[in-house]
Amino acid sequence: MNIPNPSTAPVPGEYAGDEVSAIVLDPGYWTTRAGFAGEDVPKSVCPSFYGQLDNDSGAQYLFGENAIHTPTGNLEIKNPWGADGIVEDWDTATKIWEYAITSRLTGAKAGDPAKNGLNDGTNANGDSMDVDIDALDNQEKPLEDSPLLVTEPGWNSAKAREKYIEIAMEEWGAPAFYLQKTGVLAAFASGKASGIIIDVGASHTSVTPVLDGMVLRKGVQKSPLAGNFVSNQTRLVFKQSQPEIPLTPHFMVKSKTPVDAGVPAQAMYKTFGVPPTDSFRRLEEERVLTEFKESVVEVWSGPGRLSNGNNEDISKAMPGRPFEMPDGWNQVFQGERFRPAEGLFDANAALQDADNPRPKDEHTIPRLVQQAVQHVDTDQRPLLLSNIVITGASTLLYKFNDRLSHEINQLYPSTKNRLVAPGTVVERKYAAWIGGSILASLGSFHQLWISRKEYEEHGPGIVEKRCR
Amino acid sequence: MASGRDVRDMLGLPMGGAVGEQAKAAKKAKASGGVRRIQGVAREVAALYGERPPPVAVYEEKKSYRAKRQSTGPAKKWVQQPFLNQARSDGLILRHWRRKHTTTPALQDGEDTAMEDIESTASYVENCGDFVKYNLSVDLPTFSDEEYDAHLRSNDWSREETDYLFEVVRDYSYRWAVIWDRYDYQPANKSHLTQETVNADAQDALAALPFAPPKTRSVEDLKARFYDISAKLMKLRIPEVQMDADQFNLYEILKQFDPQSERNRKGLAAALMNRNMDEVKEEEFLLTELQRINMAANRLDAERAELRARLESPSPNQQAAAGLASFNTSQGLQQLFSQLFQQDRSKKRASGSGTGPSRLSLNTNDLATPSSNAPGSMSAANRRQSMAMPQSAVAQTPIRTLPREQEERFNVSSHERLQSGVTFNSDKLMKMRQAKSNVQTQKIAQALQELGIPDTIPIPTSRVGEVFETLIGKVSKLLDLRKVREKEEGEIRVLEAMKERRASEAQADGSRSGSTTHVKNEKTDVMDSQSTSGLHHNTSGSVSREPESRGEDGDGDVDVDAEGEEDDDQDVDAEGEEESRQPSEAISSRGISVGRQSHKRSASELSQGSQGSTKRARK
């Protein structure tokens, strides 16, 4: 193949690309990603958490990074996702997603300057107000120009899927809609049509076997051992250490003075008239824990588990990593930093207390992979095992891939197991969105859209028929 | 460095010339510097390089990485062009960016045109068929109700489930793994309210009862059902007899599908995959071992093949042989001849001169009477000869060989085969003088010298050549006979010596009273002497080259003239005499004398032996 000068544009049709300014929405537990198809990074990434202020005039919702991290009294932080990895609170979920789309991608339309109200001078009579309301009514549908591609988890229920298309068609007025599973899209983002996709997100870890761009439903596995689980394990590590390690979020600290390692913090704390809610504090603590996970936590890279032989001693002998809490407390973590993530691979190694029961053995990642492979036709297993795609932000844990590779080779020593893990952070975190961006910008994909006309003809049930 | 100038000064050469030369050199340098100007680099920058060119290549501006932007008129306008996808039936209109098509270049200025453009683009909907080629669907066998009832019924499968199976296969394009994964037949008929079920609800409920708990069907079950139906339908559509090879193969494959063996195969595959680490390691070890052995075997084979290739003769050139093979048969030649004849005739017609007496042209006579020696005589060489020398061609045609007298008279000759090119007859004569060995050549030369034949024969006509050839033949025969005679004679000598010795032994035995040990000793002695004498003869034969030739000198004339074998023999005898006379030892040439000599020798030895024995006796 001759590669032309990089400065020349590819011939139209060479990559079957045909962009129709479709919007790709990839909602997740931690963040919601949205952007135009054909771009390589989602333009709009906003937290899936939202703030709820209960006033006299009813509930007020706050969306977006800036709003939810401001310590405000009575601000309840909530998440529309349920414990089973399916959206629970559809109303607010819709609002969050709409916010993700409209805040960055589709603003208010530039209307006629004579009518958009900006040039209205003194005479604001009733007629013009009516016109404005009409205009507002028209603008209420944020997606009239763009087809919408939404991603869904592999285990999404039929009811939830119908809900998606109802939102897109009824509330947002999308001209066309399509629903695709995250597993398939993550595989597309890595350039694979077949493979096993291991997605370790915030709330759930899923293992999805994909064959020729189609999810093998029987093989889809999910477990709650994911990023949040690691956070909870970290909390337990803090709690069980002697003395207990205090976890103070940023918003509480007014000023701090440096202290020696392990010495109690000397910091000035903020005082609030109305103290922030527990849910707000928990969210802020999560942010600190995220920082801790990123900089300190390491996965025991194998071979073997952390509890095997003298691996634990080896891990203790490895160089430690320092961490400083927002209030100035600091310490070098050595053996402990291997503990939080070990539970992902070894249920016995997980720390436990009353709130955090021992995870089930079948929820560990190697067991999930095993189960997924078990539910696939024998002939396809080697093919799938040679394309194991790793995605999800929690897979960015240090040495995660090394350990996973060891575990899988332990399970299937006779096949050629190959892990495909995108190197860049963005590609790892947003693989499903990128896959959707690729898919929705293909010219050959346009015949798959469910159009408004089809939706009106067949009702929401068409999703089950068309988006397989 | 003023030496050149000084020298000039001393020699009194003019100074002006040197100055002129300097100026010229400077000019030359300047010119060359001018030529080496680097393209695409500013003059000032180029000056910084100094005299040497830069060590790295400088990209010329013309061949720069990015094509220079060409400003051709105002910026092109792009619009969001609505389009219809041909693969869709619902008329969904999407928009993509396209360069604005300029169908109406009526007015260039003003807002009116812009308005018009907007309107025109809004009304225009592109019909986009670029990606229709990707819209593929699979072929499925179809069947009617009658066909199903007649041929395709199964105890295990209801009609509805069969339909469902076909639907799923179509949906997932024969991807059996996916089909099996998604196969979820609900016999309760929620979504599959077919005509039949509506008509006979109660019956259907009963019929569906056995399937009430939805069966879990394996991939093999699904495949077996589908392939079975496909095979049956195929047979219905095309009778087995009329199927072509591909169709029949497909039919056979479909018919022979055995779910049980497929299941067994999958079980084995799964077992293979679920081996534990140790088994895998063992297999790896064995495989590497196997590879090592194979490599060794391959190397050995390669070495052997190389050896064989060296020992074998080179293969004959197949192509050349194939090219000539068609002319090896008489039919082939005849064909060739007729072809040539046709060509010849057409050429003749074209030239118009039909009555040429020359034998350049072929005629039907030649074709009609292909004599027995035709293939040989009509070979390419002969024809070429006839083309080259048209005068002698008359004589050379195979059918008309002249009688001998006429041949002599006209001094022409007919040959079986002629070598290509021109040769000298004298060369041929020279070649005859050569023998295989140098010694033989010398002998021949000597014989010829004796006959008074000069080294170069003045007029080497073909007749002279013939005569010379017979002469050489005779000379070589003579030489052969001489050699044979020598050998024979040597043998005779040996045998006679043995005979004499035996006789003398007998005498000695008679005279002596001796013991057995003595006799044994003597015998060994005798053996020794025999062998030494034999050796002697041989050496004498090989040493006496000169006397032999001298003998030839003497007898030469007689021999050649007489041409008789008996004479030859005599001659050889004489020669032998001389030869054997030569050695310093007193070995006479005559067989008797030789015998005597050997006898004498053996006698002396015997006497020695007797002396020894007497000595021993004394002891």
Side-chain angles (χ1 to χ4, degrees):
Chain A
M1 214 181 98
N2 62 335
I3 294 162
N5 192 331
S7 63
T8 58
V11 185
E14 188 177 349
Y15 304 113
D18 188 10
E19 292 174 21
V20 291
S21 66
I23 284 174
V24 180
L25 178 70
D26 177 26
Y29 181 87
W30 189 257
T31 55
T32 300
R33 283 78 67 177
F36 283 109
E39 290 171 358
D40 50 3
V41 181
K43 260 201 179 112
S44 166
V45 179
C46 61
S48 296
F49 291 90
Y50 66 93
Q52 190 177 356
L53 279 173
D54 289 318
N55 298 338
D56 302 337
S57 58
Q60 187 194 347
Y61 297 105
L62 300 176
F63 306 111
E65 200 89 34
N66 294 336
I68 63 169
H69 294 309
T70 315
T72 318
N74 298 326
L75 181 70
E76 289 284 348
I77 299 296
K78 290 182 178 176
N79 194 306
W81 288 82
D84 55 353
I86 296 175
V87 176
E88 219 169 43
D89 182 358
W90 284 100
D91 293 340
T92 38
T94 312
K95 284 182 182 132
I96 293 168
W97 299 342
E98 195 177 323
Y99 171 80
I101 292 169
T102 53
S103 66
R104 296 280 156 80
L105 307 177
T106 61
K109 262 191 200 167
D112 187 352
K115 291 175 192 167
N116 64 4
L118 293 173
N119 296 327
D120 287 352
T122 49
N123 56 338
N125 56 22
D127 291 344
S128 68
M129 282 301 286
D130 285 344
V131 170
D132 277 349
I133 286 161
D134 285 347
L136 277 175
D137 279 344
N138 288 336
Q139 283 176 8
E140 227 171 302
K141 308 275 175 72
L143 273 176
E144 287 202 306
D145 288 339
S146 305
L148 180 69
L149 174 71
V150 181
T151 69
E152 56 163 353
W155 55 87
N156 219 4
S157 64
K159 223 179 93 189
R161 306 183 86 200
E162 287 179 9
K163 195 80 187 166
Y164 276 111
I165 192 169
E166 277 172 23
I167 292 168
M169 291 291 179
E170 310 273 341
E171 298 193 25
W172 296 344
F177 177 80
Y178 200 76
L179 200 57
Q180 185 57 279
K181 298 206 167 20
T182 52
V184 176
L185 295 178
F188 286 170
S190 296
K192 311 275 178 196
S194 305
I196 292 178
I197 289 82
I198 300 176
D199 180 356
V200 188
S203 71
H204 280 87
T205 291
S206 68
V207 177
T208 318
V210 172
L211 190 71
D212 285 344
M214 289 197 238
V215 170
L216 299 175
R217 278 185 200 155
K218 284 174 184 158
V220 175
Q221 304 291 323
K222 64 159 178 162
S223 92
L225 304 188
N228 291 348
F229 168 78
V230 179
S231 296
N232 289 341
Q233 292 285 306
T234 314
R235 279 175 200 271
L236 286 176
V237 167
F238 288 172
K239 206 180 277 179
Q240 287 173 3
S241 78
Q242 293 297 331
E244 192 180 327
I245 296 165
L247 179 58
T248 320
H250 281 279
F251 77 95
M252 290 176 69
V253 180
K254 199 174 179 184
S255 68
K256 63 178 178 182
T257 49
V259 293
D260 285 341
V263 176
Q266 293 176 343
M268 300 282 286
Y269 295 100
K270 279 181 188 166
T271 49
F272 300 94
V274 186
T277 56
D278 285 349
S279 61
F280 179 78
R281 185 183 165 120
R282 195 172 174 85
L283 175 70
E284 295 306 309
E285 280 177 1
E286 283 294 325
R287 297 179 84 193
V288 178
L289 289 174
T290 304
E291 208 179 316
F292 185 81
K293 283 192 285 185
E294 283 170 356
S295 54
V296 176
V297 172
E298 180 173 339
V299 181
W300 170 248
S301 63
R305 297 175 165 174
L306 185 61
S307 55
N308 283 7
N310 56 354
N311 282 351
E312 206 148 355
D313 298 336
I314 296 170
S315 75
K316 276 176 185 150
M318 282 165 89
R321 288 175 183 231
F323 187 76
E324 185 181 313
M325 290 291 177
D327 58 359
W329 182 94
N330 66 88
Q331 196 169 49
V332 175
F333 291 85
Q334 289 201 303
E336 310 93 297
R337 66 198 185 94
F338 291 94
R339 301 300 299 273
E342 186 63 17
L344 294 176
F345 300 95
D346 181 8
N348 285 326
L351 302 165
Q352 304 166 28
D353 70 350
D355 297 333
N356 299 288
R358 183 181 181 278
K360 288 176 186 162
D361 275 328
E362 62 266 29
H363 280 167
T364 57
I365 294 174
R367 293 291 289 274
L368 289 181
V369 175
Q370 203 174 13
Q371 284 298 311
V373 171
Q374 203 62 43
H375 285 92
V376 175
D377 191 49
T378 319
D379 291 344
Q380 317 297 334
R381 287 176 195 170
L383 168 70
L384 296 187
L385 281 170
S386 63
N387 295 303
I388 300 173
V389 178
I390 313 257
T391 176
S394 294
T395 60
L396 290 166
L397 284 170
Y398 190 50
K399 300 270 188 186
F400 179 90
N401 291 346
D402 295 4
R403 176 64 179 277
L404 189 60
S405 164
H406 275 124
E407 293 281 346
I408 289 173
N409 284 331
Q410 190 86 33
L411 283 174
Y412 301 103
S414 56
T415 50
K416 196 173 135 273
N417 310 321
R418 208 163 71 83
L419 264 60
V420 181
T424 58
V425 173
V426 169
E427 278 178 43
R428 193 82 71 82
K429 280 164 100 172
Y430 306 136
W433 186 90
I434 293 168
S437 167
I438 293 168
L439 183 64
S441 62
L442 289 179
S444 47
F445 176 72
H446 296 327
Q447 67 188 56
L448 294 178
W449 291 112
I450 300 168
S451 69
R452 170 165 287 279
K453 194 174 162 195
E454 282 172 314
Y455 170 75
E456 278 159 3
E457 252 173 55
H458 302 280
I462 195 172
V463 169
E464 279 296 302
K465 242 180 101 183
R466 293 285 294 279
C467 308
R468 295 172 182 277
Chain B
M1 276 303 290
S3 60
R5 200 190 161 102
D6 290 351
V7 169
R8 279 204 178 80
D9 195 27
M10 275 187 270
L11 293 174
L13 287 168
M15 284 297 186
V19 171
E21 222 167 44
Q22 268 179 357
K24 216 182 276 172
K27 204 183 269 178
K28 212 177 268 174
K30 210 175 197 177
S32 66
V35 167
R36 294 193 60 83
R37 230 180 75 83
I38 300 151
Q39 291 283 312
V41 178
R43 188 167 50 81
E44 292 82 1
V45 178
L48 290 175
Y49 289 134
E51 290 170 0
R52 295 181 186 179
V56 291
V58 173
Y59 280 106
E60 290 181 21
E61 202 169 13
K62 285 176 203 161
K63 299 171 188 169
S64 69
Y65 191 54
R66 186 189 290 266
K68 214 172 186 179
R69 190 174 163 275
Q70 291 170 347
S71 55
T72 51
K76 299 282 186 299
K77 283 182 180 167
W78 290 70
V79 288
Q80 279 216 304
Q81 178 69 57
F83 71 97
L84 258 176
N85 195 324
Q86 282 183 4
R88 297 188 69 96
S89 56
D90 60 347
L92 173 69
I93 291 176
L94 298 168
R95 291 157 183 275
H96 55 194
W97 286 103
R98 281 287 178 272
R99 192 167 272 185
K100 197 166 87 175
H101 64 286
T102 50
T103 46
T104 53
L107 290 162
Q108 289 294 319
D109 54 332
E111 287 176 14
D112 293 343
T113 50
M115 291 294 286
E116 267 181 22
D117 282 344
I118 287 163
E119 277 168 22
S120 70
T121 50
S123 60
Y124 172 75
V125 174
E126 183 190 348
N127 201 349
C128 181
D130 294 350
F131 302 105
V132 176
K133 61 187 171 190
Y134 298 115
N135 187 19
L136 301 173
S137 58
V138 293
D139 292 331
L140 272 190
T142 51
F143 52 85
S144 62
D145 291 350
E146 293 82 45
E147 278 171 341
Y148 183 85
D149 288 336
H151 306 283
L152 307 175
R153 280 193 170 280
S154 161
N155 291 330
D156 197 23
W157 290 76
S158 64
R159 173 68 201 261
E160 290 77 38
E161 194 172 359
T162 307
D163 287 340
Y164 177 75
L165 172 67
F166 271 67
E167 192 186 315
V168 177
V169 170
R170 183 198 305 282
D171 284 349
Y172 298 113
S173 323
Y174 291 99
R175 291 184 183 90
W176 286 104
V178 181
I179 290 166
W180 170 70
D181 183 67
R182 303 289 174 90
Y183 191 84
D184 183 23
Y185 175 62
Q186 303 291 337
N189 293 318
K190 274 178 207 158
S191 56
H192 293 270
L193 275 175
T194 55
Q195 201 63 35
E196 287 175 54
T197 55
V198 172
N199 288 348
D201 217 359
Q203 277 185 0
D204 187 70
L206 276 175
L209 202 60
F211 307 107
K215 279 193 169 183
T216 51
R217 303 216 186 251
S218 66
V219 192
E220 289 76 30
D221 294 334
L222 302 178
K223 276 186 184 173
R225 175 68 174 159
F226 187 82
Y227 290 161
D228 179 47
I229 291 176
S230 301
K232 280 176 179 164
L233 287 174
M234 203 168 166
K235 198 178 166 188
L236 278 176
R237 304 276 185 276
I238 321 162
E240 272 179 69
V241 196
Q242 291 174 17
M243 286 183 195
D244 61 22
D246 285 351
Q247 284 170 334
F248 190 73
N249 282 343
L250 180 65
Y251 175 70
E252 283 289 302
I253 290 168
L254 289 174
K255 213 173 63 175
Q256 284 168 3
F257 180 78
D258 179 15
Q260 195 52 47
S261 67
E262 189 74 359
R263 239 170 252 143
N264 293 341
R265 182 185 71 75
K266 278 200 178 153
L268 287 174
L272 185 72
M273 225 188 93
N274 293 331
R275 288 172 307 168
N276 63 25
M277 203 61 129
D278 293 340
E279 287 165 326
V280 172
K281 276 189 181 147
E282 191 185 342
E283 194 200 318
E284 254 170 40
F285 171 74
L286 289 175
L287 279 175
T288 49
E289 198 69 358
L290 179 71
Q291 200 181 4
R292 200 175 55 77
I293 291 167
N294 278 342
M295 269 169 67
N298 282 344
R299 206 169 46 224
L300 201 67
D301 281 354
E303 277 167 10
R304 278 187 189 161
E306 197 192 330
L307 200 64
R308 244 177 273 130
R310 277 191 193 171
L311 291 175
E312 270 171 11
S313 62
S315 60
N317 194 346
Q318 293 288 333
Q319 280 191 331
L324 293 173
S326 57
F327 303 115
N328 280 345
T329 58
S330 59
Q331 283 102 331
L333 279 169
Q334 208 150 336
Q335 216 168 359
L336 181 71
F337 188 88
S338 62
Q339 206 178 327
L340 287 169
F341 179 67
Q342 288 296 333
Q343 275 179 11
D344 198 51
R345 216 162 50 171
S346 61
K347 212 185 280 174
K348 221 186 279 174
R349 246 180 236 147
S351 64
S353 63
T355 57
S358 70
R359 282 293 290 137
L360 238 182
S361 56
L362 303 165
N363 60 31
T364 36
N365 257 353
D366 296 345
L367 181 62
T369 56
S371 59
S372 58
N373 61 346
S377 59
M378 281 307 291
S379 64
N382 201 353
R383 236 181 299 120
R384 205 181 299 144
Q385 178 77 10
S386 71
M387 298 293 185
M389 296 188 291
Q391 289 85 0
S392 64
V394 182
Q396 277 179 12
T397 44
I399 21 151
R400 276 197 223 165
T401 42
L402 291 172
R404 193 167 168 76
E405 311 90 69
Q406 278 188 2
E407 229 174 56
E408 274 177 19
R409 198 180 135 209
F410 295 119
N411 192 19
V412 292
S413 58
S414 64
H415 299 272
E416 271 298 304
R417 219 169 59 201
L418 275 179
Q419 282 177 345
S420 63
V422 181
T423 53
F424 289 111
N425 270 337
S426 60
D427 281 355
K428 217 188 282 176
L429 297 185
M430 282 305 289
K431 214 175 271 174
M432 280 180 219
R433 285 167 188 264
Q434 306 288 320
K436 270 175 196 162
S437 71
N438 243 348
V439 180
Q440 190 79 359
T441 314
Q442 276 178 9
K443 277 184 191 169
I444 291 171
Q446 270 161 0
L448 290 175
Q449 221 177 333
E450 279 165 25
L451 293 172
I453 295 161
D455 279 353
T456 48
I457 292 156
I459 306 167
T461 58
S462 60
R463 259 193 76 71
V464 172
E466 270 172 36
V467 173
F468 189 77
E469 203 174 347
T470 53
L471 175 64
I472 288 291
K474 276 173 184 170
V475 168
S476 62
K477 209 183 271 174
L478 164 72
L479 291 174
D480 281 350
L481 282 168
R482 270 183 193 168
K483 209 184 268 174
V484 170
R485 198 194 143 226
E486 258 176 56
K487 219 180 270 172
E488 297 277 332
E489 231 176 283
E491 270 176 18
I492 287 167
R493 270 179 228 147
V494 170
L495 287 171
E496 271 180 350
M498 282 173 71
K499 199 179 160 191
E500 289 234 351
R501 203 180 301 138
R502 288 236 175 89
S504 64
E505 261 176 53
Q507 282 180 357
D509 276 346
S511 64
R512 197 171 296 153
S513 60
S515 63
T516 47
T517 51
H518 283 254
V519 174
K520 265 180 194 169
N521 271 345
E522 283 156 24
K523 266 186 185 169
T524 51
D525 283 342
V526 168
M527 292 288 272
D528 282 353
S529 69
Q530 262 187 16
S531 62
T532 48
S533 68
L535 263 171
H536 214 96
H537 281 300
N538 281 351
T539 47
S540 71
S542 65
V543 166
S544 61
R545 279 280 161 246
E546 283 180 62
E548 187 187 348
S549 56
R550 224 184 287 146
E552 269 176 28
D553 284 3
D555 304 337
D557 315 17
V558 185
D559 177 41
V560 174
D561 286 353
E563 284 184 292
E565 285 206 7
E566 288 170 333
D567 290 1
D568 265 349
D569 268 349
Q570 274 180 359
D571 172 49
V572 168
D573 273 1
E575 190 189 76
E577 223 172 306
E578 275 185 11
E579 171 200 319
S580 44
R581 231 179 278 141
Q582 262 301 309
S584 52
E585 291 177 74
I587 303 169
S588 64
S589 68
R590 287 288 160 199
I592 310 152
S593 68
V594 170
R596 209 181 296 142
Q597 167 67 18
S598 65
H599 175 69
K600 235 185 258 168
R601 258 175 151 199
S602 58
S604 67
E605 275 158 10
L606 276 175
S607 65
Q608 273 180 5
S610 63
Q611 276 173 7
S613 65
T614 49
K615 272 176 196 167
R616 254 173 240 151
R618 272 177 212 157
K619 275 176 188 172

